[in-house]
Amino acid sequence: MMSNSFAKAPAQVSARVFFVLGDRIERRARLQGAWLNIFDITVPAGSRTPLHRHASPEVFRIIEGRLTIRRATENGIDEFEATTGDIVRIEANQPHAYSNPGHQAAIFSAIVDSDMVEFLEAAGSQEPPKAAPSAETRDRMNAAANAHGITILAA
């Protein structure tokens, strides 16, 4: 009997790649008609996201490097290091953020829903940033966040 729990997907020749606050985001898979989307996200050394929350849950799997993850719990902010192979679950509406404290880029896969995809595509740019995110880049990200139900809690 053949199992249908594994499917080999060919590499996408023209995978959608864009940049949000310096992170390189590449769509790896999307199930049509479902919420499942998988992105590989490359986080440069020193890069971070602001503390934020949104209605959709997320799952991260660290592929390479390390990230400092911050997420709110009943006891306050929990901060921990996630390294290669670790899986991190972010609940719906759970405030969270990540940063790369290392000297090398970190890479993780993120499983997100269609609402997050729409935000990432609206906030993203086609060109990698040449320096720290500009005021224009931050304004675009904040406008996209507001339009897609994402609350930025701290810069």
Side-chain angles (χ1 to χ4, degrees):
M1 179 187 322
M2 186 170 143
S3 168
N4 66 356
S5 63
F6 175 79
K8 183 174 174 103
Q12 295 177 345
V13 174
S14 60
R16 176 99 161 91
V17 174
F18 48 96
F19 299 84
V20 176
L21 293 180
D23 292 355
R24 181 182 188 276
I25 300 174
E26 180 177 3
R27 177 180 279 141
R28 305 302 284 168
R30 178 182 202 168
L31 292 181
Q32 295 297 327
W35 70 269
L36 183 66
N37 292 268
I38 301 174
F39 288 89
D40 282 352
I41 301 174
T42 302
V43 184
S47 186
R48 66 182 181 85
T49 60
L51 188 67
H52 64 282
R53 73 170 176 240
H54 40 76
S56 57
E58 297 176 294
V59 176
F60 303 156
R61 182 174 185 273
I62 311 304
I63 297 172
E64 186 176 307
R66 62 191 171 107
L67 291 175
T68 299
I69 307 289
R70 294 175 59 214
R71 62 183 177 190
T73 68
E74 294 175 356
N75 300 321
I77 297 291
D78 179 28
E79 184 172 298
F80 59 94
E81 185 173 282
T83 60
T84 302
D86 288 347
I87 295 174
V88 178
R89 186 179 72 213
I90 305 297
E91 301 293 339
N93 292 308
Q94 182 178 37
H96 62 284
Y98 63 80
S99 62
N100 178 357
H103 299 289
Q104 303 292 325
I107 302 171
F108 70 98
S109 285
I111 300 172
V112 301
D113 71 7
S114 297
D115 290 339
M116 280 304 295
V117 172
E118 290 175 11
F119 160 72
L120 291 170
E121 290 177 344
S125 67
Q126 298 294 313
E127 299 296 321
K130 294 178 177 43
S134 66
E136 178 185 332
T137 297
R138 290 189 185 280
D139 288 347
R140 183 177 61 247
M141 196 256 328
N142 286 331
N146 288 336
H148 293 90
I150 297 170
T151 304
I152 306 297
L153 301 168

